[in-house]
Amino acid sequence: MSHTERLPRTRTYLMCPPEHFTVEYAINPWMDTTVPVDPALALKQWQLLRETLTDLGHTVHVLQPRPELPDMVYAANGAFSVDGKVYGARFAYPQRAAEAAAHRHFYVSGSWEFTDPEHVNEGEGDFAYLPDAYGGLILAGYGFRTEPVAHTEAQEVLGRPVISLQLVDPAYYHLDTALAALDDRNVTYFPEAFSPASQRVLAQLFPEAVIADRADAEAFGLNLVSDGRHVVLNTEATAMGEKVRAAGYTPVHVELGELKRGGGSVKCAVAELRP
């Protein structure tokens, strides 16, 4: 497929500024409490990411941050929406538990059909939706932050088939650190982050996937946001940028080094809203 055939689709996103972002605790392998965060730089980088998305023609809503919740900047983790329905988050760690209520308030205040979860899940961190793949398919990760039974619950809430994928490397603790939707029907992923059986499932479902390597994953190159043509990823992920370019997409690099200190990058900071 040529570059000119990659057509962008206008998206709507939710982000939360890192006004209170720090690394006060370690709940993933990337977090180091001994290295201080530069709050001003984190906010500057976040603002650039937001401007990049709006300059590409997308709408970005902003969630009000709360001082006692330093990880709220990772807005993708608070819920997962499909066709106007929202499956809320229930965080695995108590340090982030109160974030779920902030996201719930956002959706309930709008015209969304919101469902409170019974099972632990971390929203779009462990769910990805491809509306044109097999009639509309949800990919769902488990192994570290989301319980497998939450996949069944999400399927009942959202009315879309859910494919469960087992994550096996703690460095890639959320699905969005190991896999991303490049458009409405295709993905990119790092095979070794998944169990052998899940690798076979992905190979069968997505024979044209862009395959990433460990260096791409370590650079958080899979933690990207794509509108179907423009692939927004961090500046460290240069090799991943070349891979998506070779597949006909246009890489757009944004510096997000401060957010990586908390174990996230572009996608972690951006929840897609699907009315």
Side-chain angles (χ1 to χ4, degrees):
M1 180 176 286
S2 71
H3 172 85
T4 56
E5 293 176 290
R6 300 292 189 190
L7 300 177
R9 178 169 62 79
T10 302
R11 312 290 177 112
T12 302
Y13 298 118
L14 178 66
M15 298 179 66
C16 182
E19 293 179 6
H20 311 291
F21 176 58
T22 62
V23 179
E24 298 177 346
Y25 45 78
I27 58 174
N28 69 60
W30 305 95
M31 301 178 83
D32 183 352
T33 59
T34 66
V35 180
V37 169
D38 184 332
L41 181 56
L43 184 58
K44 181 180 179 180
Q45 292 177 351
W46 180 91
Q47 289 170 335
L48 180 58
L49 173 58
R50 181 188 178 190
E51 290 168 5
T52 298
L53 295 173
T54 56
D55 288 348
L56 290 172
H58 307 300
T59 299
V60 177
H61 295 277
V62 176
L63 186 66
Q64 185 65 33
R66 298 185 181 182
E68 72 278 14
L69 298 172
D71 280 345
M72 273 190 73
V73 63
Y74 303 121
N77 303 154
F80 177 56
S81 65
V82 174
D83 298 334
K85 299 179 180 179
V86 183
Y87 178 53
R90 184 176 176 187
F91 286 86
Y93 287 94
Q95 293 93 330
R96 299 194 64 185
E99 292 180 38
H103 284 266
R104 185 184 192 281
H105 178 75
F106 171 83
Y107 290 105
V108 171
S109 299
S111 57
W112 298 86
E113 184 181 331
F114 188 93
T115 299
D116 289 307
E118 293 184 11
H119 303 288
V120 172
N121 81 91
E122 296 199 342
E124 210 167 49
D126 271 328
F127 291 100
Y129 181 53
L130 292 101
D132 290 344
Y134 306 95
L137 188 68
I138 295 171
L139 302 178
Y142 72 95
F144 299 102
R145 296 290 193 88
T146 293
E147 296 174 341
V149 69
H151 298 178
T152 303
E153 187 176 37
Q155 180 169 274
E156 292 303 307
V157 169
L158 301 171
R160 296 289 185 179
V162 175
I163 301 296
S164 292
L165 302 168
Q166 184 179 10
L167 297 163
V168 295
D169 186 333
Y172 311 107
Y173 58 94
H174 273 156
L175 182 71
D176 68 7
T177 64
L179 178 149
L182 288 172
D183 52 40
D184 288 345
R185 66 180 62 193
N186 202 20
V187 301
T188 179
Y189 66 97
F190 171 47
E192 292 175 44
F194 298 91
S195 69
S198 293
Q199 290 182 42
R200 291 193 293 272
V201 169
L202 286 167
Q204 180 176 337
L205 291 176
F206 303 103
E208 297 182 2
V210 175
I211 303 300
D213 59 26
R214 183 170 295 277
D216 298 321
E218 290 178 351
F220 273 55
L222 282 301
N223 198 244
L224 61 83
V225 168
S226 177
D227 63 12
R229 177 176 181 179
H230 308 100
V231 178
V232 182
L233 64 172
N234 71 74
T235 52
E236 187 180 340
T238 53
M240 190 66 209
E242 291 307 309
K243 287 183 175 68
V244 299
R245 188 189 301 278
Y249 302 91
T250 302
V252 180
H253 290 279
V254 179
E255 173 58 49
L256 279 184
E258 286 305 293
L259 291 192
K260 189 179 180 183
R261 297 182 187 278
S265 191
V266 176
K267 182 68 192 85
C268 287
V270 180
E272 184 169 349
L273 305 180
R274 304 177 184 88

